[in-house]
Amino acid sequence: MSLAGKHYIAAIIWVALLGAAYVVIDGQIRPKVATAVNETVIDIPRSPDGHYYVAGMINSQDVTFLVDTGASTVSVSTAVARRIGLPQGRPVSIGTAGGVSRGEEVTGQTVTLGGITIRDVRIVILPGMPGEALLGQNVLRHLNVVQSVGRMTLRAEGP
């Protein structure tokens, strides 16, 4: 076999090894998005980035929420708002961790997490917001939220 052929085989082996390493590392750092355990309980493992993510819906449209116990309101990016068909809202100023942001407020929306549905939810649309959506206190206050080592549990309150 020629020297060029050996280099070609070595290059293929290195590409395969790097590709395999990428797949393994990507699987380790990708957020762990929880789904419902049953109709009233959602068990969320902490993701490698230290946050908790849960699959849910806004008005029957799929959304991945980052659970943000420090956020007062459910918030979505403009791209997500348009994708899920939220109406244009009224202009608002919102205090965020990065300062005051301008956005839009829509009311009367429905948020569903597993079998848990909360109606008449206020949602703020924030242009340039990273990620899809934040699950804020205006929904979390309807749930029993328990955080323990590496896990968060959301449980419907009441019957």
Side-chain angles (χ1 to χ4, degrees):
M1 180 177 286
S2 71
L3 185 59
K6 289 179 182 178
H7 284 285
Y8 180 71
I9 291 172
I12 290 174
I13 291 170
W14 276 109
V15 167
L17 288 172
L18 291 173
Y22 173 80
V23 169
V24 169
I25 292 169
D26 186 55
Q28 295 296 316
I29 63 173
R30 178 174 290 143
K32 298 174 185 174
V33 179
T35 55
V37 172
N38 61 43
E39 290 294 309
T40 60
V41 178
I42 302 168
D43 185 44
I44 311 169
R46 184 179 4 221
S47 287
D49 65 2
H51 297 292
Y52 297 93
Y53 298 88
V54 63
M57 292 189 283
I58 296 175
N59 301 336
S60 300
Q61 299 295 314
D62 291 333
V63 175
T64 298
F65 290 100
L66 181 151
V67 180
D68 188 348
T69 58
S72 59
T73 307
V74 171
S75 302
V76 298
S77 68
T78 301
V80 168
R82 301 307 167 237
R83 176 179 59 82
I84 66 174
L86 286 180
Q88 189 163 0
R90 70 175 187 86
V92 292
S93 292
I94 300 294
T96 68
V100 176
S101 294
R102 302 270 315 143
E104 302 173 27
E105 171 189 70
V106 294
T107 57
Q109 307 306 304
T110 301
V111 172
T112 305
L113 306 166
I116 304 166
T117 299
I118 293 107
R119 291 178 176 71
D120 199 25
V121 176
R122 173 181 178 246
I123 297 176
V124 174
I125 302 166
L126 294 173
M129 183 180 111
E132 279 200 29
L134 297 178
L135 189 63
Q137 286 296 331
N138 63 329
V139 166
L140 293 173
R141 73 173 180 237
H142 297 281
L143 306 171
N144 181 345
V145 180
V146 176
Q147 187 174 352
S148 60
V149 178
R151 302 203 84 67
M152 178 181 284
T153 302
L154 307 177
R155 186 181 312 273
E157 296 211 338

